């Protein structure tokens, strides 16, 4: 769950914002320190303040001459001090203060608060008023805090720009991935399902891309299965139409000869009847194969209902008959039938058809010179049937669809059992399991 939260798009977005803020802070601090250093070397540096104070005093002298400022009208200096330049002005006559910019006209100067010894001697300038009075002027220039504000604003703008670039880069990477997914979806929508979808990351976009790619693979697998089904159906129809035509033609010929009485005696009539019966059995066998094909490949097939039968009775009957038939065909059969003491829930017709396929498989492919082993026994709540035979060197290798074995597999799966078959070192082994119920009938 934690990995899912960590990989979510919202968490990545939060991390993107956090990293962008950290990048902005990492830029803001050195920018502000650089601005503070530049200000300390310029507008807040002592050389700059001294030059500006000297320049302001020169302007003060000009103003005094121009406005005829004397000892009686010093209050007119308020206009010059308040014009916008950042100056602080105090005027002394001897040790007596005559003017201070911070005191308004209505206020009286508190002489005890002022003394030249409290002033900065470096900021003292001699000035002669228009009436010839010599005074001592202490003029202070200060730059104010506005430059610090500008340094903060400028550093903030740069930090915001860095934050925006980092965040846009993060979002653009996601948008680029979204655009790539859209382009790939357009390709898939055009029918090119073999084009893989790019899966990146473990967030919602990555899960979406993975889901789309999984859907693409599922559609391809479904189409492949349909193509195989269509091909198999076509091959079945072609093969069945060809194989049925031969026995049907012969059967019709024999029946037509018998119907018209065109035979020489009872012996030839019995021959025609025997041949007709053989052709009929051949057609029946083909019909059984067709049913088995439908059983294996049809998704709409619904088997009959199951019934409860005695396990010992059913398996002893089936495989006792098969062992007897194999021995009549010249095989040596080694049986090992254990006591089961239980019941099976099966459909006898389907189970018989599955076992018939195993019996036919033995007749076709087993080596008659080697013994065939047929063993079943109880293992817990299961019946395990094992068939082992040596493969005949002269076996017919033309059959390649394995419909018979697939029929067995599906029938046994329907009964809740398992089916496995394999060939190794010239030996063929089949293992069948069925659930066994502890019910004695």
């Amino acid at each position: 769950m934690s990995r899912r939260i960590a990989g979510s798009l919202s968490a990545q977005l939060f991390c993107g914002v956090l990293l962008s803020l950290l990048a902005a802070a990492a830029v803001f601090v050195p920018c502000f320190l650089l601005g503070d250093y530049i200000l300390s070397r310029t507008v807040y540096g002592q050389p700059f303040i001294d030059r500006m104070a000297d320049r302001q005093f020169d302007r003060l002298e000009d103003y005094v001459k121009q406005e005829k400022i004397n000892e009686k009208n010093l209050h007119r200096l308020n206009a010059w001090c308040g014009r916008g330049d950042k100056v602080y002005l105090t005027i002394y006559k001897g040790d007596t203060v005559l003017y201070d910019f911070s005191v308004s006209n209505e206020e009286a100067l508190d002489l005890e608060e002022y003394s030249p010894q409290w002033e900065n001697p470096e900021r003292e300038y001699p000035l002669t008023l228009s009436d010839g009075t010599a005074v001592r002027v202490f003029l202070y220039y200060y730059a104010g805090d506005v430059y610090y504000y500008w340094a903060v604003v400028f550093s903030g703008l740069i930090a915001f720009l860095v934050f925006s670039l980092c965040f846009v880069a993060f979002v653009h990477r996601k948008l680029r991935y979204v655009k790539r997914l859209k382009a790939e979806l357009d390709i898939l929508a055009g029918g090119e399902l073999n084009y893989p979808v790019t899966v990146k990351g473990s967030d919602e976009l990555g899960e979406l891309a993975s889901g789309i790619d999984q859907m693409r693979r599922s559609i391809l697998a479904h189409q492949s299965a349909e193509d195989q089904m269509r091909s198999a159906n076509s091959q079945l129809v072609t093969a069945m139409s060809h194989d049925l035509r031969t026995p049907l033609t012969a059967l019709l010929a024999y029946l037509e000869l018998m119907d018209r009485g065109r035979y020489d005696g009872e012996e030839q009539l019995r021959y025609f009847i025997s041949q007709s019966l053989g052709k009929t059995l051949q057609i029946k066998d083909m019909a059984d194969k067709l049913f088995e094909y439908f059983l294996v490949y049809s998704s709409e097939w619904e088997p009959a209902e199951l019934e409860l039968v005695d396990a010992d009775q059913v398996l002893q009957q089936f495989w006792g008959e098969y062992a007897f038939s194999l021995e009549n065909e010249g095989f040596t059969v080694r049986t090992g039938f254990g006591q089961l003491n239980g019941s099976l829930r099966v459909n006898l017709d389907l189970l018989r058809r599955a076992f018939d396929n195993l019996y036919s498989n033995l007749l076709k492919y087993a080596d008659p010179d080697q013994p065939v082993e047929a063993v079943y026994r109880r293992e817990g709540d299961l019946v395990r049937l094992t068939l082992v035979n040596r493969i005949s060197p002269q076996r017919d290798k033309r059959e390649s669809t394995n419909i018979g074995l697939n029929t067995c597999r599906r029938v046994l799966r329907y009964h809740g059992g398992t089916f496995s078959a394999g060939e190794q070192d010239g030996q063929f082994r089949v293992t069948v399991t069925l659930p066994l119920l502890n019910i004695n009938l």
Side-chain angles (χ1 to χ4, degrees):
M1 183 67 179
S2 59
R3 287 184 60 189
R4 183 177 180 87
I5 294 176
S8 66
L9 192 60
S10 58
Q12 291 189 24
L13 183 62
F14 174 77
C15 291
V17 173
L18 183 60
L19 291 176
S20 300
L21 287 175
L22 291 176
V27 171
F28 175 82
V29 173
C31 283
F32 178 76
L33 293 177
L34 177 62
D36 181 69
Y37 174 77
I38 294 175
L39 291 177
S40 65
R41 302 290 295 218
T42 55
V43 296
Y44 295 120
Q46 193 62 43
F48 178 82
I49 292 177
D50 292 341
R51 289 196 303 272
M52 292 301 298
D54 294 340
R55 185 178 303 175
Q56 293 299 324
F57 179 75
D58 293 339
R59 294 176 179 177
L60 176 62
E61 286 184 318
D62 295 338
Y63 184 80
V64 168
K65 294 178 181 179
Q66 181 180 354
E67 297 297 327
K68 296 182 171 50
I69 302 299
N70 54 46
E71 187 176 352
K72 298 185 179 299
N73 60 2
L74 289 175
H75 62 275
R76 295 174 60 183
L77 292 175
N78 290 341
W80 182 83
C81 292
R83 70 193 186 285
D85 293 330
K86 301 175 179 60
V87 295
Y88 182 80
L89 182 63
T90 305
I91 299 177
Y92 291 88
K93 181 179 180 181
D95 292 335
T96 303
V97 60
L98 299 179
Y99 173 82
D100 185 86
F101 175 66
S102 63
V103 180
S104 63
N105 295 334
E106 291 79 10
E107 296 176 341
L109 291 173
D110 189 356
L111 300 180
E112 295 181 356
E113 294 182 359
Y114 295 91
S115 174
Q117 62 183 357
W118 295 343
E119 304 288 350
N120 186 356
E122 295 182 359
R123 300 272 68 82
E124 180 179 355
Y125 298 91
L127 177 65
T128 302
L129 301 178
S130 60
D131 57 358
T133 304
V135 295
R136 302 164 64 187
V137 174
F138 290 90
L139 189 149
Y140 303 90
Y141 175 86
Y142 58 96
D145 297 330
V146 65
Y147 297 104
Y148 273 113
Y149 298 150
W150 278 111
V152 172
V153 171
F154 184 74
S155 301
L157 289 176
I158 295 179
F160 179 75
L161 180 62
V162 172
F163 170 83
S164 301
L165 291 176
C166 294
F167 187 72
V168 168
F170 170 79
V171 174
H172 180 68
R173 183 169 61 89
K174 291 297 179 182
L175 289 178
R176 187 168 61 244
Y177 183 44
V178 171
K179 291 180 180 178
R180 183 170 184 175
L181 287 181
K182 179 182 180 302
E184 292 175 348
L185 283 176
D186 291 339
I187 295 175
L188 296 179
E192 185 56 47
L193 295 177
N194 290 316
Y195 190 88
V197 177
T198 304
V199 179
K200 293 173 59 178
S202 58
D203 55 14
E204 289 83 353
L205 289 178
E207 292 178 356
L208 175 63
S210 178
I212 295 173
D213 195 60
Q214 182 62 40
M215 180 179 66
R216 176 189 66 84
R217 290 195 296 267
S218 299
I219 294 174
L220 282 176
H222 184 68
Q223 288 182 349
S224 177
E226 287 185 347
D227 292 340
Q228 293 178 3
M229 180 75 70
R230 193 177 299 110
S231 176
N233 287 335
S234 176
Q235 294 176 8
L236 176 68
V237 171
T238 302
M240 291 297 293
S241 62
H242 178 270
D243 293 343
L244 282 173
R245 186 179 297 111
T246 301
L248 278 175
T249 302
L251 178 61
L252 289 174
Y254 288 131
L255 292 175
E256 186 177 356
L257 290 174
M258 287 186 290
D259 182 62
R260 295 181 181 181
R262 298 175 62 181
Y263 52 87
D264 299 330
E266 290 294 326
E267 184 177 353
Q268 192 175 34
L269 177 60
R270 285 195 298 272
Y271 174 77
F272 286 168
I273 293 174
S274 176
Q275 291 297 315
S276 298
L277 180 61
K279 298 301 178 184
T280 303
L281 293 175
Q282 186 178 355
I283 294 173
K284 178 182 178 299
D285 183 66
M286 292 182 182
D288 290 341
K289 291 298 182 183
L290 181 62
F291 172 79
E292 292 172 0
Y293 179 86
F294 178 77
L295 178 67
V296 172
Y297 293 105
S298 175
S299 60
E300 300 177 356
W301 174 77
E302 292 293 339
E305 295 182 358
L306 305 179
E307 58 179 308
L308 198 64
V309 298
D310 185 76
D312 290 292
Q313 180 180 350
V314 170
L315 294 184
Q316 179 68 40
Q317 177 185 350
F318 282 174
W319 286 102
E321 294 176 359
Y322 293 140
F324 180 76
S325 299
L326 286 171
E327 290 175 347
N328 287 337
E329 295 291 336
F331 288 88
T332 301
V333 182
R334 296 177 182 173
T335 59
F337 300 155
Q339 194 70 22
L340 300 179
N341 297 324
S343 302
L344 298 174
R345 191 176 297 279
V346 296
N347 181 278
L348 290 176
D349 291 336
L350 288 177
L351 191 61
R352 165 75 74 174
R353 184 175 296 278
F355 288 161
D356 283 347
N357 276 292
L358 295 178
Y359 171 71
S360 300
N361 197 66
L362 290 172
L363 289 178
K364 288 182 180 180
Y365 304 117
D367 187 354
D369 296 331
Q370 300 293 329
V372 175
E373 296 183 8
V375 179
Y376 67 76
R377 62 174 57 89
R378 176 168 185 160
E379 295 183 0
D381 293 332
L382 292 176
V383 177
R384 182 177 297 277
L385 169 66
T386 304
L387 300 176
V388 180
N389 66 276
R390 177 68 59 176
I391 301 173
S392 174
Q394 289 79 32
R395 65 173 174 174
D396 187 1
K397 298 184 178 181
R398 291 176 298 173
E399 184 176 350
S400 59
T401 59
N402 291 325
I403 292 179
L405 296 179
N406 289 331
T407 300
C408 295
R409 183 174 290 107
R410 180 160 183 179
V411 168
L412 290 166
R413 187 184 301 134
Y414 174 74
H415 287 90
T418 61
F419 177 87
S420 62
E423 176 182 343
Q424 185 177 8
D425 299 331
Q427 193 177 62
F428 192 76
R429 177 183 292 270
V430 173
T431 303
V432 172
T433 63
L434 284 170
L436 185 63
L437 305 177
N438 295 319
I439 300 175
N440 293 321
L441 299 178

